[in-house]
Amino acid sequence: QVQLVESGGGLVQPGGSLRLSCAASGFTFYYYAIGWFRQVPGKEREGVSYIGSSGRSTYYADSVQGRFTISRDNAKNTVYLQMNSLKPEDTAVYYCARERKRVYGISWSFPSKYDYWGQGTQVTVSS
């Protein structure tokens, strides 16, 4: 079955870095785009970044542009999110998700564009 497993979260000081991983299984990984989202209690899930199936197309939320970098290794069925210059407002549970096929006219940052989600990994930025 389709599985997405996030890892790499943790506690980091402001200005620090973390690299999140999203390991995929149960489907043909290189056919699918992957998105990263984050969520804090009481708020809606927020789109953070997106990478197309080949890795050539990438998008970022304005709040992380220039600080986060998304990449993928199709040989390892894994997507990465390198997070630098972290801020306390980056604190959230981070999720990766698989984009649905043949869904048009919906921005990458909308959760409804995705069909499978990981369980999430906690990122806490605090001194």
Side-chain angles (χ1 to χ4, degrees):
Q1 71 276 24
V2 174
Q3 282 195 316
L4 297 166
V5 180
E6 303 94 338
S7 62
L11 173 64
V12 63
Q13 292 187 341
S17 298
L18 284 174
R19 189 176 81 155
L20 304 184
S21 298
C22 171
S25 61
F27 63 99
T28 306
F29 182 72
Y30 57 81
Y31 282 167
Y32 288 85
I34 301 291
W36 279 101
F37 287 74
R38 64 187 181 188
Q39 190 169 25
V40 298
K43 290 194 173 182
E44 292 187 355
R45 198 163 288 193
E46 173 193 19
V48 174
S49 187
Y50 168 100
I51 188 164
S53 57
S54 68
R56 286 194 294 267
S57 297
T58 58
Y59 301 102
Y60 298 93
D62 289 345
S63 58
V64 307
Q65 180 76 47
R67 300 188 297 122
F68 290 11
T69 302
I70 193 170
S71 62
R72 65 189 294 160
D73 185 339
N74 284 345
K76 295 183 178 180
N77 286 7
T78 302
V79 171
Y80 303 98
L81 186 67
Q82 178 67 43
M83 306 187 298
N84 298 330
S85 302
L86 283 162
K87 305 175 181 180
E89 51 263 43
D90 294 318
T91 295
V93 178
Y94 284 71
Y95 300 89
C96 62
R98 189 186 81 168
E99 185 187 41
R100 299 177 188 275
K101 283 297 187 183
R102 293 179 291 279
V103 174
Y104 308 106
I106 300 176
S107 168
W108 69 268
S109 62
F110 279 68
S112 60
K113 195 168 175 67
Y114 302 84
D115 55 4
Y116 286 92
W117 295 78
Q119 82 290 346
T121 186
Q122 176 70 46
V123 171
T124 302
V125 184
S126 174
S127 54

